[in-house]
Amino acid sequence: MQQALIAMSHSPLLGHTNPPEDVKAAVDAAFDHVRAFAKEFNPDLVVNFGPDHYNGFFYDLMPPFCVGYEALGTGDYDSWAGPINVPTNEAEKLAAYIIDQDIDTAISRKMEVDHGAVQPMEIIFGGLDTVPVIPIFVNSVARPFTKVSRVRKFGAAVGEYFKDSDKKVLFIGSGGLSHDPPVPQIATATEAQRAMLTNGRNPTPEARAARQANTINTAIKFAKGEADIMDLNPEWDRAFLDVCRSGNVEGFDAYTADEMDAVAGHSSHEVRTWVAAYSALRACGEYEVNYEFYKPIKEYIAGFGVTTAVLKK
């Protein structure tokens, strides 16, 4: 078995809010499972499809995809800060292969990666200085969005590159599922918010703390039924998980940005990272989902899912 997958939700609210003890225990058990799965698989390389929350990518230049040749963590929400162990030569070859498949991708020799991508690596491996990782940004918050079918084809190209690799490659998709946290939308943003969305790099400690406090306070209110954000949509989440489990990755093509906004929240687009990861694995062969966890968790403002998948023997 040369390729495997972990797709999982993340939340900056882990450790910052307090779900019921049985919910925390269930999430911890899911994390224990993926840690054991990754340890048994023992990857030589991780390919990490992750979003960003206006910490590393901004409207001054917002690509639909970007392959990181070198990268560092932004440290938001006390996540990984500093250099990430990226095999630059392999990342360069991967990007060249993707482009040769007539799929355009941006590249970065100084990618800044926020909690949305690094949190799974921290949970699974304890940090980003252990297993080599190629970070791949998939735009999941900033309109306009590329079609989901395009995300599928992008992921498939990544998988095709690694299909015959002599390395054991773990694909990670990080984000989702349904959720609508207080991330400003460019169409309705204030002047100050538009400035942050356009070029908010290197915020002051005070500005970062205020932004994070707003998210934490919103989550606390949301759990009490007092926040003015869209509710979670477990039915939509489970239907998406059904597509993942089916192995028919073309089924992702039916998802549209407007519908996702309307029924699953403005940040449900993070499932694009799952689409890319599952499509990458499918390009390597038929797969089976051998573990699935799901629970709608208001304290984390997320329909929280965790899955693992392996190629069929």
Side-chain angles (χ1 to χ4, degrees), residues 182-193:
V183 179
Q185 301 297 310
I186 193 71
T188 56
T190 65
E191 184 175 348
Q193 288 172 333

Side-chain angles (χ1 to χ4, degrees), residues 273-284:
T273 67
W274 290 49
V275 171
Y278 269 102
S279 299
L281 185 63
R282 182 64 185 86
C284 297

Side-chain angles (χ1 to χ4, degrees), residues 113 117 133 236 268:
V113 183
V133 54
W236 186 90
S268 64

Side-chain angles (χ1 to χ4, degrees), residues 147-308:
K147 291 181 179 178
V148 179
S149 61
R150 194 72 172 171
V151 180
R152 173 179 60 79
K153 292 173 183 176
F154 175 85
V158 174
E160 288 164 5
Y161 174 80
F162 288 108
K163 182 177 182 179
D164 298 318
S165 174
D166 58 357
K167 295 182 176 68
K168 296 177 73 174
V169 180
L170 177 65
F171 300 116
I172 291 180
S174 172
L177 301 170
S178 64
H179 64 310
D180 191 47
V183 179
Q185 301 297 310
I186 193 71
T188 56
T190 65
E191 184 175 348
Q193 288 172 333
R194 288 179 72 90
M196 185 278 290
L197 297 177
T198 301
N199 183 4
R201 293 174 183 82
N202 305 312
T204 65
E206 294 77 14
R208 173 170 283 177
R211 183 179 172 190
Q212 294 178 176
N214 179 52
T215 302
I216 293 167
N217 291 335
T218 300
I220 293 170
K221 292 179 181 178
F222 187 48
K224 296 177 181 179
E226 299 172 357
D228 186 23
I229 59 175
M230 187 182 299
D231 204 355
L232 306 179
N233 190 335
E235 182 179 356
W236 186 90
D237 294 340
R238 293 189 176 100
F240 179 79
L241 290 169
D242 287 345
V243 180
C244 295
R245 198 183 316 109
S246 74
N248 177 26
V249 293
E250 289 79 7
F252 293 128
D253 295 1
Y255 287 82
T256 65
D258 288 346
E259 182 181 12
M260 291 167 72
D261 275 354
V263 303
H266 291 90
S267 290
S268 64
H269 301 285
E270 289 182 352
V271 300
R272 292 164 177 267
T273 67
W274 290 49
V275 171
Y278 269 102
S279 299
L281 185 63
R282 182 64 185 86
C284 297
E286 293 188 3
Y287 67 78
E288 60 183 353
V289 173
N290 59 356
Y291 176 78
E292 180 181 304
F293 167 84
Y294 174 74
K295 189 176 286 291
I297 305 175
K298 287 197 169 187
E299 290 83 358
Y300 296 157
I301 316 184
F304 210 91
V306 179
T307 63
T308 63

Side-chain angles (χ1 to χ4, degrees), residues 92-112:
E92 290 174 342
K93 293 175 183 176
L94 172 60
Y97 179 87
I98 294 168
I99 291 169
D100 281 346
Q101 310 314 303
D102 290 331
I103 299 174
D104 296 332
T105 183
I107 62 95
S108 174
R109 293 190 181 275
K110 191 181 178 182
M111 182 184 285
E112 296 187 41

Side-chain angles (χ1 to χ4, degrees), residues 68-71 85-94 109 133-134:
Y69 289 2
E70 299 175 39
N85 181 14
V86 181
T88 299
N89 289 342
E90 192 76 52
E92 290 174 342
K93 293 175 183 176
L94 172 60
R109 293 190 181 275
V133 54
I134 298 177

